[in-house]
Amino acid sequence: MINSTHNINQQTLTTLPMIQTPSNDLTGAPLIPRRYIVLLLMWLGIFHVYILRVVLSIAIIPMSEASDEEWSEGTRGLILSCFFWGYIWNQIPGGYLAERYGAKYVLMTGILISSFLTMIIPFMIHSVPLLLICRILVGFSQGITFPNIYYLGARWLPSNEKSRGMSFVQSGASAGTMFTLGIGPIVITSLSWPSLFYLSGGFGVLWALLWFIFTSSSPEDMYKGNAVISLPEQELNYIVNNRNDPPQDINNTSKPWVRIATHPAFVAIMTNHFAFNWGFYVLLAWLPSYMDKVLNFDIKQAGFFSILPYLALALVSPLGGFISDLLLNKKIMSLLNIRRLMQSLGLILPAMFLVLIAFTSPGVKLTIAYFTLSVGLSGFGYSGYAVNHIDLSTKYTGVMWGITNTIATIPGIVGIYLTGWIINQGNYWWVVFMIAAIISVIGNVLWLLLARASPVDFDKEEAEYDAIN
């Protein structure tokens, strides 16, 4: 049975032997820190859920051809977007479940369910309603993913490792996307399109086994023996003493929903999460179709060239985190200005390249280069809005991510379906790109006006710490 009081509050923390060792003394700690193992498995979890998310974008064309009646662009848009109909409902509950039962178990359960549902999708091919229901449930089971991932990040990462740690974990999304876009067409042509779903779902079982063995919901849990591997005292001290504000047990307290949702800094995160996801989700779902219909690539060519933007994203994401932590640790810039810089790079530069695609009619090579730069440079945003959840409050990180990702899932529903509708009206791709660019610019303006990087005590009426941005 899962322990519902896995979180360790401040009183409990004082009973752990963490004050016997200086906070930065890692003498005697293992060569590979336990938190790095947890981060790697978090990365693999994100890698896998994006395989499950993207696999349908690759298989949609052969699935349509194999169905009783070939699907229109509108129907394809409906099928591609329905994942988010389920995904949107489980964001806030995902944060609550992490606090209640432990992110280790909640994340593992959600990914296992979505893996199983993905494996049965081929059996739904002749019924669009059943296919829609199955993908909605895949989305619902994956809705807990990022609230739990950021809950874990808030507890496992010292302050000086937040940016590069979480940007590394987030890069699993682009790596999973890139892997699926590259391997998917090969699996389809060499085996069959149903095999793509069977293999994708099966990987989740292997990941869940590794996750169960090597992780825990917090370093305190691992220290107490709630994992197969143990956490040395030195590493426990280092993590807990270098976190922003120690996570506390909040199971028995009411959450300050209004103070969180209306705080200007939180509004900045929410709007920028929305702006980031609009461009990301639209391109994620429709880029293979654009390369098929506009650039006249076959499925293998489309898959290969679709990899490049996400390869760039996988490289830029951790690079942004490394640069952010370097600027912070060298005291070159304040944390607030680092967040402003990274978010601006992650929104304005991608918007610029989308405008170039919309209005300059570039050739095939330049179009691919612009798409690559647009998607890749957005990776700087992971060191802006994404990690800023942890900046504001480690205590409410999971809940905060649940709220912002609920709002940021709307582009997955509206944006993807709207794109299909716009294309049906006459292949107005320039309209699709301009909408994404305009939303990015608006988001960035709000970020520059409202963002902050110092912790917020949402439990107090006046949510302010004496911290310097």
Side-chain angles (χ1 to χ4, degrees):
M1 181 175 180
I2 299 171
N3 182 6
S4 64
T5 58
H6 74 284
N7 288 321
I8 300 180
N9 59 25
Q10 285 301 98
Q11 183 178 2
T12 306
L13 285 176
T14 61
T15 67
L16 295 173
M18 62 175 58
I19 59 174
Q20 300 174 9
T21 308
S23 63
N24 293 316
D25 184 3
L26 290 173
T27 304
L31 181 63
I32 302 177
R34 298 294 187 253
R35 65 188 182 281
Y36 292 174
I37 297 174
V38 174
L39 283 177
L40 177 60
L41 288 171
M42 288 164 63
W43 184 92
L44 281 173
I46 299 300
F47 177 85
H48 177 56
V49 298
Y50 266 80
I51 290 176
L52 301 183
R53 188 178 301 192
V54 177
V55 65
L56 192 61
S57 296
I58 294 295
I60 191 79
I61 295 174
M63 287 174 68
S64 174
E65 294 169 351
S67 65
D68 295 332
E69 183 178 347
E70 189 166 349
W71 301 327
S72 67
E73 295 293 342
T75 300
R76 292 183 189 182
L78 194 67
I79 293 170
L80 290 171
S81 68
C82 71
F83 169 94
F84 298 98
W85 303 354
Y87 187 72
I88 195 171
W89 296 109
N90 219 8
Q91 300 295 320
I92 297 174
Y96 170 78
L97 290 171
E99 296 164 2
R100 182 69 178 168
Y101 298 108
K104 171 180 178 175
Y105 299 104
V106 177
L107 183 63
M108 182 177 68
T109 301
I111 291 181
L112 276 175
I113 292 173
S114 64
S115 298
F116 170 75
L117 290 168
T118 297
M119 287 191 285
I120 67 174
I121 281 178
F123 300 100
M124 313 293 175
I125 183 66
H126 299 295
S127 173
V128 171
L130 285 179
L131 178 58
L132 293 175
I133 291 171
C134 192
R135 279 294 283 183
I136 289 170
L137 292 175
V138 171
F140 184 80
S141 60
Q142 283 196 19
I144 54 85
T145 302
F146 282 101
N148 280 264
I149 286 291
Y150 274 82
Y151 174 97
L152 289 162
R155 283 148 182 79
W156 274 100
L157 288 174
S159 296
N160 63 333
E161 296 180 8
K162 282 188 306 184
S163 294
R164 62 182 182 271
M166 292 314 296
S167 60
F168 166 73
V169 171
Q170 283 275 182
S171 73
S174 50
T177 301
M178 177 179 64
F179 179 83
T180 311
L181 292 173
I183 298 299
I186 297 174
V187 172
I188 290 173
T189 55
S190 301
L191 299 174
S192 63
W193 67 262
S195 300
L196 188 58
F197 291 93
Y198 304 147
L199 293 172
S200 299
F203 179 76
V205 178
L206 175 61
W207 173 86
L209 178 63
L210 295 173
W211 181 258
F212 180 78
I213 293 173
F214 292 108
T215 67
S216 66
S217 295
S218 69
E220 294 91 339
D221 275 358
M222 184 176 285
Y223 181 81
K224 292 195 302 179
N226 292 339
V228 173
I229 60 175
S230 61
L231 182 71
E233 178 185 330
Q234 297 95 325
E235 187 173 0
L236 175 68
N237 297 341
Y238 178 73
I239 295 171
V240 174
N241 292 329
N242 286 284
R243 290 189 299 216
N244 271 354
D245 52 298
Q248 303 168 36
D249 186 357
I250 60 176
N251 292 325
N252 298 319
T253 61
S254 60
K255 296 173 179 56
W257 299 106
V258 175
R259 294 188 202 122
I260 293 175
T262 59
H263 195 285
F266 181 76
V267 172
I269 296 177
M270 192 161 47
T271 53
N272 277 259
H273 200 166
F274 178 96
F276 178 90
N277 277 11
W278 186 283
F280 184 81
Y281 283 155
V282 166
L283 291 180
L284 182 65
W286 286 103
L287 188 55
S289 293
Y290 180 88
M291 292 187 171
D292 174 51
K293 301 296 184 181
V294 179
L295 302 183
N296 297 315
F297 290 164
D298 60 31
I299 188 170
K300 280 189 176 180
Q301 288 176 309
F304 174 76
F305 286 110
S306 295
I307 290 175
L308 297 179
Y310 299 99
L311 173 60
L313 182 59
L315 295 173
V316 171
S317 298
L319 176 63
F322 175 81
I323 293 172
S324 296
D325 284 341
L326 180 66
L327 293 173
L328 181 64
N329 294 333
K330 297 291 185 180
K331 300 182 180 179
I332 297 172
M333 295 177 68
S334 68
L335 183 57
L336 176 59
N337 285 331
I338 292 170
R339 298 291 182 245
R340 285 171 173 164
L341 172 64
M342 290 296 142
Q343 189 63 17
S344 297
L345 292 174
L347 285 180
I348 298 301
L349 293 180
M352 180 183 72
F353 286 108
L354 288 179
V355 172
L356 287 174
I357 295 171
F359 290 114
T360 62
S361 299
V364 172
K365 291 182 179 179
L366 268 182
T367 298
I368 294 171
Y370 290 163
F371 273 130
T372 300
L373 289 167
S374 181
V375 174
L377 292 172
S378 70
F380 284 116
Y382 291 137
S383 297
Y385 85 89
V387 74
N388 194 229
H389 291 78
I390 302 177
D391 292 333
L392 294 191
S393 174
T394 55
K395 180 177 180 180
Y396 290 117
T397 301
V399 171
M400 289 167 58
W401 187 277
I403 298 172
T404 68
N405 211 27
T406 298
I407 301 301
T409 301
I410 294 173
I413 301 171
V414 177
I416 293 176
Y417 180 75
L418 180 63
T419 298
W421 182 84
I422 291 171
I423 295 169
N424 254 351
Q425 305 310 303
N427 283 329
Y428 296 126
W429 285 97
W430 70 271
V431 176
V432 173
F433 300 141
M434 283 306 300
I435 290 173
I438 291 169
I439 290 174
S440 293
V441 172
I442 294 172
N444 190 241
V445 170
L446 291 173
W447 182 260
L448 294 175
L449 292 174
L450 302 177
R452 63 176 283 169
S454 56
V456 175
D457 185 357
F458 290 112
D459 292 316
K460 295 181 180 179
E461 200 65 43
E462 296 297 329
E464 295 291 334
Y465 276 7
D466 292 329
I468 299 174
N469 281 329

